[in-house]
Amino acid sequence: MSRRTILVTGGAGFVGSHLCDRLIADGHDVICLDNFFTGRKKNIEHLLGEPRFELLRHDVTFPLYIEVDEIYNLACPASPIHYQHDPVQTTKTSVHGAINMLGLAKRLKCRIFQASTSEVYGSPSVHPQTEDYWGNVNPIGPRSCYDEGKRCAETLFFDYYRQHKLDIKVARIFNTYGPRMHPNDGRVVSNFVVQSLKGEPITIYGDGSQTRSFCYVDDLIEGFVRLMQSPRDVTGPVNLGNPGEFTIKELAELTIAMTGSKSKLVFLPLPQDDPLQRQPNISIAKDRLGWEPTVPLRDGLKRTVAYFEKLLTENDVMRDMPAARSKG
Ligand code: NAD
Ligand code: UDP
Ligand code: UDP
């Protein structure tokens, strides 16, 4: 594979930092762009001494003129508590960010990847979700800045594809977890693992019967790279996720069992518009990319627990982390 210069927006975030690792390991030059809203230098500090790695502090809502061979556009907060903190900025990041990165790709005539999301399906009435399902999304609710922002970004990608013949790759990512999730991120896996390790109550929103399908981050990154390297006619959208579906209560019980925790379950109100079920149909990824996840939830959780165990013994994190935040 030829050595390329690759831009990763949101590269200091949870998923982005793993992608930077993979691209550096594959022998590429990586420009990691981030505004550090939810990302952290700590996630990429081990790459700072690498001559093929470059860190760029920048906000994707502003134009960017650089020279690269490929773009992965991941910049966008992904956790509900963070994307709802400044919802206008979230929409701007998805929409203006997509326009700027598409403009950059158009000028450079380079391939561009979009990190879209299973949230484009909203609270789905088709189950498992296939890519031809148009979704059930509230356009004016608290999750809309993220859901509709990502939907509009997909629209832009396909309009640049049709109108300007851009070489696009759109991945619809389902819930992904693993090391480098922020302990205060607010998403369910990091919350439950941190709560279990600290012996604090496990915060279940609603009755815990809602489902999610959890993909380990290494599997996801393999899917990204395969999609990016796929033939030009594979534009997506392609679902990338692990079809293993669990209720949130099952996840809580598994986490408690795996950590040997004494934590008790507490039930808090279900947030508005929280999807009741979610499971990817990954037939397209299997057929066109030869991809499917290989890490079962139990194994991935074990690695994630080991990461947070180490993190919780580090003083700096203990100071700014009285408890995993709850949004209930
Ligand atoms: P994250 O919050 O850890 O990472 C997002 C990164 O983008 C952070 O480093 C943040 O600082 C950066 N960022 C945010 N706004 C920016 C801006 N305006 N300009 C520049 N940088 C900005 O989240 P993640 O889980 O790593 O998600 C990465 C991408 O994958 C996101 O686009 C997200 O929507 C998508 N995604 C993730 C999941 C998941 O389960 N992790 C699921 C579906 C989609
Ligand atoms: N853009 C950018 N870098 C580039 C080229 C364009 O950031 O190398 C931005 C620019 O701000 C523009 C947006 O991308 O507003 C969309 O570019 P496009 O060429 O599609 O639109 P136009 O410039 O014609 O409005
Ligand atoms: N959730 C929960 N307790 C928490 C955090 C989340 O019960 O401490 C629930 C949340 O209501 C949702 C599911 O877990 O039903 C997944 O939430 P997350 O924020 O991780 O992802 P998303 O809702 O975006 O899929």
Side-chain angles (χ1 to χ4, degrees):
M1 198 199 331
S2 61
R3 176 171 165 182
R4 305 171 78 73
T5 300
I6 302 177
L7 171 66
V8 178
T9 79
F14 158 51
V15 173
S17 63
H18 286 277
L19 179 61
C20 290
D21 281 348
R22 168 65 187 264
L23 297 174
I24 288 288
D26 285 349
H28 298 293
D29 291 76
V30 171
I31 300 177
C32 166
L33 176 157
D34 211 292
N35 71 347
F36 298 105
F37 174 46
T38 51
R40 293 184 299 164
K41 286 204 183 125
K42 209 169 169 42
N43 288 341
I44 39 100
E45 74 181 353
H46 58 285
L47 293 172
L48 293 176
E50 164 61 58
R52 286 181 289 110
F53 181 81
E54 195 179 330
L55 181 60
L56 187 60
R57 179 185 279 269
H58 180 80
D59 188 314
V60 286
T61 60
F62 296 101
L64 176 71
Y65 287 82
I66 56 171
E67 310 305 313
V68 293
D69 302 311
E70 272 178 10
I71 303 167
Y72 284 89
N73 187 35
L74 274 64
C76 185
S79 163
I81 55 167
H82 291 130
Y83 70 64
Q84 290 172 20
H85 172 73
D86 185 349
V88 173
Q89 174 66 15
T90 300
T91 302
K92 281 185 188 167
T93 292
S94 274
V95 177
H96 292 180
I99 290 174
N100 287 328
M101 292 307 105
L102 286 161
L104 178 64
K106 182 180 140 204
R107 179 174 64 79
L108 299 174
K109 298 187 175 45
C110 77
R111 189 166 271 202
I112 179 167
F113 171 106
Q114 168 67 358
S116 189
T117 169
S118 55
E119 294 278 337
V120 300
Y121 301 122
S123 195
S125 49
V126 168
H127 192 76
Q129 291 78 58
T130 44
E131 289 85 346
D132 57 4
Y133 174 53
W134 289 356
N136 174 31
V137 177
N138 177 356
I140 57 165
R143 294 175 84 98
S144 310
C145 57
Y146 184 75
D147 301 1
E148 296 289 19
K150 289 283 188 178
R151 286 169 68 96
C152 184
E154 284 200 11
T155 306
L156 285 160
F157 268 69
F158 279 85
D159 282 334
Y160 270 78
Y161 166 70
R162 285 183 287 257
Q163 200 173 325
H164 300 301
K165 311 286 175 266
L166 238 64
D167 189 357
I168 62 160
K169 305 283 174 190
V170 176
R172 289 188 179 150
I173 305 162
F174 285 64
N175 298 64
T176 299
Y177 69 98
R180 300 197 195 136
M181 293 185 92
H182 195 283
N184 281 347
D185 182 88
R187 280 179 279 186
V188 69
V189 174
S190 43
N191 270 10
F192 285 5
V193 170
V194 170
Q195 289 163 345
S196 296
L197 290 174
K198 295 175 92 182
E200 291 175 351
I202 307 280
T203 53
I204 294 188
Y205 304 156
D207 63 6
S209 64
Q210 73 270 33
T211 68
R212 293 293 187 274
S213 304
F214 300 101
C215 185
Y216 189 65
V217 65
D218 290 357
D219 280 333
L220 182 76
I221 298 299
E222 179 63 28
F224 279 19
V225 170
R226 286 188 189 216
L227 177 56
M228 195 58 145
Q229 289 170 359
S230 62
R232 197 182 166 109
D233 67 306
V234 185
T235 57
V238 180
N239 287 341
L240 294 179
N242 190 323
E245 185 184 12
F246 296 84
T247 68
I248 294 305
K249 190 146 176 277
E250 283 169 343
L251 177 74
E253 285 160 354
L254 182 61
T255 310
I256 289 176
M258 289 190 60
T259 50
S261 174
K262 294 192 168 42
S263 291
K264 298 272 175 288
L265 306 184
V266 294
F267 293 86
L268 300 173
L270 188 68
Q272 190 190 327
D273 297 339
D274 199 281
L276 292 180
Q277 53 181 2
R278 194 182 285 152
Q279 182 190 29
N281 175 311
I282 58 165
S283 302
I284 292 183
K286 275 186 183 163
D287 292 350
R288 300 302 312 262
L289 312 178
W291 176 86
E292 65 182 314
T294 59
V295 183
L297 181 59
R298 191 173 277 276
D299 294 356
L301 262 186
K302 207 167 149 189
R303 297 182 212 174
T304 310
V305 167
Y307 169 78
F308 279 112
E309 254 172 345
K310 185 163 175 285
L311 198 72
L312 290 177
T313 58
E314 289 171 13
N315 289 338
D316 57 333
V317 175
M318 292 297 277
R319 256 202 318 273
D320 70 336
M321 198 192 60
R325 266 187 251 165
S326 152
K327 63 173 176 174

